[in-house]
Amino acid sequence: MKTIDEYSYQCGVIDCFNEMVRAGLKKIALSHPTDSVIQRDDLLPFSREICRKYKTQFYVEDDPLITDLFPVSLNRGKYNIIFYKDAAELQEYLDIKSEKKRLLTKNLYCGKARTEIALRFGRLLSYPDEGILHLIQENRELE
């Protein structure tokens, strides 16, 4: 089997996810997290071109939303690109982040409220509820 370099792999993911966003299969999609801003920013010219091709948009994320949906190490201290079609979907992502921050400052990010944040994020990623609940239940690496 041929070896695929990381940049080419990331570009394939970006292309596929933007096609899904354009088709309405996903409200938003995330690039795979990168370990550095430089790695992420190297993907921006390709992202610009793909977004033009699919008539989508992107948002550069330096402070990703951490929820119980994914293991904390997958996103903490990482850098990402969010792909979306409509500004309302990006705003929904930002609203979820804001709500989590509000809950944390009031020491209320626990129980049902914590699960609801993960559910909202999963739904924004267009995962089915049963899939979201499975990911939450299986996640053993919480923040």
Side-chain angles (χ1 to χ4, degrees):
M1 181 165 75
K2 289 186 178 185
T3 303
I4 301 171
D5 65 276
E6 183 64 22
Y7 177 80
S8 298
Y9 174 77
Q10 286 274 24
C11 289
V13 168
I14 289 167
D15 185 280
C16 177
F17 279 163
N18 273 277
E19 183 177 7
M20 293 172 76
V21 167
R22 177 197 66 186
L25 298 171
K26 293 183 73 55
K27 291 180 182 180
I28 69 165
L30 308 172
S31 67
H32 284 259
T34 63
D35 292 328
S36 74
V37 171
I38 293 168
Q39 289 172 312
R40 194 265 323 278
D41 288 355
D42 283 346
L43 296 166
L44 295 180
F46 183 80
S47 296
R48 247 181 236 100
E49 186 60 34
I50 288 299
C51 286
R52 261 194 298 273
K53 175 181 175 181
Y54 292 115
K55 296 178 177 49
T56 55
Q57 301 179 65
F58 71 88
Y59 175 81
V60 176
E61 178 59 280
D62 288 336
D63 182 29
L65 175 60
I66 309 288
T67 72
D68 293 344
L69 194 60
F70 303 115
V72 67
S73 64
L74 187 64
N75 287 302
R76 179 175 279 155
K78 307 288 182 169
Y79 304 90
N80 219 312
I81 306 168
I82 299 172
F83 300 98
Y84 61 97
K85 192 172 181 180
D86 298 315
E89 286 143 354
L90 175 62
Q91 188 58 55
E92 187 176 343
Y93 170 81
L94 297 172
D95 290 347
I96 295 168
K97 278 183 69 172
S98 179
E99 178 64 10
K100 179 187 174 190
K101 185 176 182 179
R102 185 188 71 75
L103 290 167
L104 282 168
T105 59
K106 294 186 175 204
N107 205 28
L108 297 172
Y109 186 63
C110 56
K112 185 177 178 185
R114 183 178 178 129
T115 300
E116 186 58 32
I117 293 292
L119 283 165
R120 287 177 61 196
F121 187 37
R123 289 176 185 139
L124 186 58
L125 289 165
S126 303
Y127 295 174
D129 281 355
E130 59 273 6
I132 297 167
L133 293 172
H134 177 76
L135 287 171
I136 292 169
Q137 291 166 355
E138 294 294 313
N139 185 2
R140 300 288 176 243
E141 190 184 325
L142 307 175
E143 85 182 303

